[in-house]
Amino acid sequence: MPALRPFTDVSTVRPTDDGFAAEVDPEWAVADKPNGGYLLALLGRAAVASVGHEHVITSSAHFLHSPDAGPVEIETVVLRKGRSADHVRATMRQDGQACVEAVLMVGRLADGAPAHWDRGAPPRPAGDRDEGVRVPGTSPTGVPVPVMEQVDLRLDPATLGFAAGRPSGSGELRGWLSFLDDAPFDPVSLLYAVDAFPPATFEIEPTGLVPTLEMTVYVRALPAPGPLTILHRAQTVAAQRVDEATFVWDSTGRLVAQATQLAGIRLG
């Protein structure tokens, strides 16, 4: 069992003369590739530190090149300053090569504000977290997933056909996520949460890595303490790409984040 590397520690950024410096942790990875949501959270920390507002509200990111574990630089450019929100471009580089570029909107989220209307969103999945099956540090195809040793991610047994070699064909995963140190989620760590699940395509047929190419995230509310409930769906697989939609609810049942992403995939 590797040493626990709390998210608050591995997502720290440090101001420099040219922007920010960070260290990509090798344990927050799938195989030897850092988790995309984790990388986006590093950009989120830098964006918040660049402006006067404190919460990431939206992010649109392109994943250009996967960095190795180790030092990275983050450059931020304030595109617009506003009374209620600022817009920031953040670029992660390693050895001079651009790895991730995102435009983020940073503002202030209300605490506990109810949704005015939410019938367009899917219902929060039912189920008992205590009956969830924790995802291990190795995928069904034998790929090491060290990030799963850093979080408590449990899947609804009804969506675990792929683990027994019998995917249901639904392209949907449901389950629960928490940090092993019980740290509460905040708007930046929600950027990781929307990308925490295994590929929803596992419930279609097994594949190798499904790398994220682009991801758009909306943070809708400040999450209450406690485990998150997550619904992760593949929508269309075509031309060796898949788009996936993710919805995240806090422990009170409030929708706190949602995301769509386009990922590369090879299916038969």
Side-chain angles (χ1 to χ4, degrees), residues 20 46-47 50-51 74-80 86-91 93 102-104:
F20 298 88
S50 299
V51 295
I74 300 173
E75 176 190 17
T76 60
V77 178
V78 179
L79 302 175
R80 176 184 179 273
D86 302 326
H87 293 77
V88 182
R89 179 188 294 121
T91 304
R93 292 187 174 89
V103 174
L104 304 100

Side-chain angles (χ1 to χ4, degrees), residues 110-133:
D111 190 5
H116 179 73
W117 185 88
D118 63 359
R119 284 179 289 170
R124 181 193 189 200
D128 186 345
R129 178 174 176 267
D130 290 339
E131 296 179 359
V133 177

Side-chain angles (χ1 to χ4, degrees), residues 40-241:
L40 185 54
L42 290 172
L43 296 185
R45 296 272 188 232
V48 168
S50 299
V51 295
H53 297 293
E54 59 183 309
H55 300 142
V56 173
I57 298 176
T58 71
S59 172
S60 179
H62 288 260
F63 295 83
L64 309 174
H65 172 75
S66 180
D68 296 324
V72 293
E73 302 83 41
I74 300 173
E75 176 190 17
T76 60
V77 178
V78 179
L79 302 175
R80 176 184 179 273
K81 291 285 292 180
R83 286 179 295 179
S84 62
D86 302 326
H87 293 77
V88 182
R89 179 188 294 121
T91 304
M92 177 182 292
R93 292 187 174 89
Q94 188 174 67
D95 298 327
Q97 182 172 20
C99 299
V100 187
E101 180 161 294
V103 174
L104 304 100
M105 185 167 74
V106 181
R108 180 167 177 78
L109 292 162
D111 190 5
H116 179 73
W117 185 88
D118 63 359
R119 284 179 289 170
R124 181 193 189 200
D128 186 345
R129 178 174 176 267
D130 290 339
E131 296 179 359
V133 177
R134 186 173 170 193
V135 177
T138 303
S139 80
T141 58
V143 176
V145 190
V147 67
M148 293 304 172
E149 305 287 358
Q150 298 295 322
V151 298
D152 185 341
L153 195 163
R154 307 181 192 188
L155 293 181
D156 184 332
T159 68
L160 272 173
F162 71 90
R166 297 187 297 274
S168 67
S170 68
E172 179 174 297
L173 302 178
R174 302 183 297 272
W176 303 268
L177 175 69
S178 59
F179 291 128
L180 289 177
D181 62 354
D182 292 324
F185 285 85
D186 65 5
V188 168
S189 56
L190 287 176
L191 300 180
Y192 159 70
V194 297
D195 195 40
F197 268 36
T201 53
F202 279 8
E203 270 299 273
I204 300 173
E205 60 183 82
T207 65
L209 295 177
V210 183
T212 302
L213 306 173
E214 188 277 341
M215 182 162 62
T216 297
V217 185
Y218 299 151
V219 178
R220 309 309 302 266
L222 293 175
L228 303 173
T229 300
I230 299 178
L231 170 64
H232 185 47
R233 287 175 171 168
Q235 300 191 120
T236 302
V237 179
Q240 298 184 10
R241 296 186 181 94

